[in-house]
Amino acid sequence: MISFKQVCFSYEQEQPALIGIDLTIEAGEFVTIIGHNGSGKSTLAKHMNGLLQPSSGRVSVQGLCASEKENLWRIRQWIGMVFQNPDNQFVAPTVLDDVAFGLENLGVARKEMIERIEWALDQVEMWEYRDRQPHQLSGGQKQRVAVAGILAMKPKVIVLDESTAMLDPIGRQELLETMRKLHQEGITVVNITHYPDEALICDRLLVMNKGELFLQGTPQDVFKQISKLRSIQLDVPFVVELADRLRRKGVPLSVDIWKTDELVERLWNLL
Ligand code: ADP
Ligand code: MG
């Protein structure tokens, strides 16, 4: 779906923001990206739909080069982006109008537009709220409307750049649930997050550090390398951290514990 070949990028600074990124994201994958502030996650995301062009190397989406202007229109329809601040993304007076906004810009016929809006709002469980105004919604609901606005454009990929960061725990859970559901329906999902516990919800985890792709693999493969993650002071999910500390204190726990209830179960058995 998306391919990066030796991608480098600098924002007129000495330190490059991306260094030699080689990466392939397959159709239908759920990919999560973690890393410190300033490690290059957003810069990486903006290369996926041609918002930024590599200084060197190449990004392609379904084989189309993302540096060529004539491809950008299609690529941006395929790859939708949801950002961090729920309030900056709401552009219309009501939920319905907000989802319609992008479609009007695409020139979709009215009948199809209505069908797509209903379908998209239904996907994020916001159809009932279609006549509400932004101030009547929670942050999580606004983010789901932002997702619906993208879904209505029938994308292949949704990239969420710290979209759960400003949400309360319930809003965050709801948005994660939406991501899971879209993934199950075959949409490629890329979730950029600074919450370590979200790192366990994906097919593949990418760890960015100082502009480089530091580690990648299944979350299990990545968190087995806990000392490597510690070397860059990256937080790991609570259950992984706790199991590791207990292990180092001599508690005989295997290295394949990824869920809180599994850990409780093993400890209970040991006791
Ligand atoms: P992350 O999303 O992981 O926090 P970013 O991709 O935003 O990281 O930033 C990577 C690096 O690029 C940082 O050093 C940051 O300061 C720099 N940077 C990001 N956006 C800009 C910009 N618009 N202009 C100049 N430098 C930027
Ligand atoms: Mg960022």
Side-chain angles (χ1 to χ4, degrees), residues 2-48:
I2 302 174
S3 143
F4 281 61
K5 292 218 171 78
Q6 280 298 306
V7 170
C8 297
F9 179 81
S10 299
Y11 294 97
E12 292 162 29
Q13 278 176 341
E14 281 172 40
Q15 180 71 10
L18 294 180
I19 306 162
I21 305 288
D22 277 315
L23 171 66
T24 313
I25 295 178
E26 305 293 339
E29 254 193 313
F30 192 147
V31 174
T32 295
I33 306 177
I34 58 172
H36 290 297
N37 258 343
S39 60
K41 303 181 299 297
S42 295
T43 306
L44 185 76
K46 287 176 184 158
H47 277 77
M48 292 181 184

Side-chain angles (χ1 to χ4, degrees), residues 195-266:
Y195 287 105
D197 57 328
E198 287 181 25
L200 292 170
I201 315 168
C202 61
D203 299 323
R204 192 149 53 101
L205 181 62
L206 310 180
V207 182
M208 290 293 295
N209 188 52
K210 296 184 177 160
E212 290 180 303
L213 187 50
F214 181 73
L215 276 178
Q216 64 168 314
T218 63
Q220 288 77 0
D221 287 340
V222 169
F223 289 121
K224 273 181 190 158
Q225 306 183 55
I226 191 165
S227 54
K228 219 168 165 187
L229 294 170
R230 280 214 187 91
S231 75
I232 60 165
Q233 286 95 42
L234 204 71
D235 287 336
V236 302
F238 174 74
V239 59
V240 175
E241 177 73 33
L242 182 57
D244 183 66
R245 287 198 200 187
L246 287 168
R247 224 175 275 123
R248 285 190 294 156
K249 294 260 180 199
V251 179
L253 291 168
S254 55
V255 288
D256 56 347
I257 297 172
W258 312 109
K259 293 197 173 114
T260 309
D261 46 2
E262 266 172 45
L263 179 59
V264 172
E265 171 97 18
R266 304 271 180 108

Side-chain angles (χ1 to χ4, degrees), residues 133-150:
Q133 296 167 15
H135 68 88
Q136 296 173 302
L137 303 178
S138 68
Q141 289 171 331
K142 284 181 206 164
Q143 288 298 56
R144 276 147 57 206
V145 173
V147 171
I150 286 165

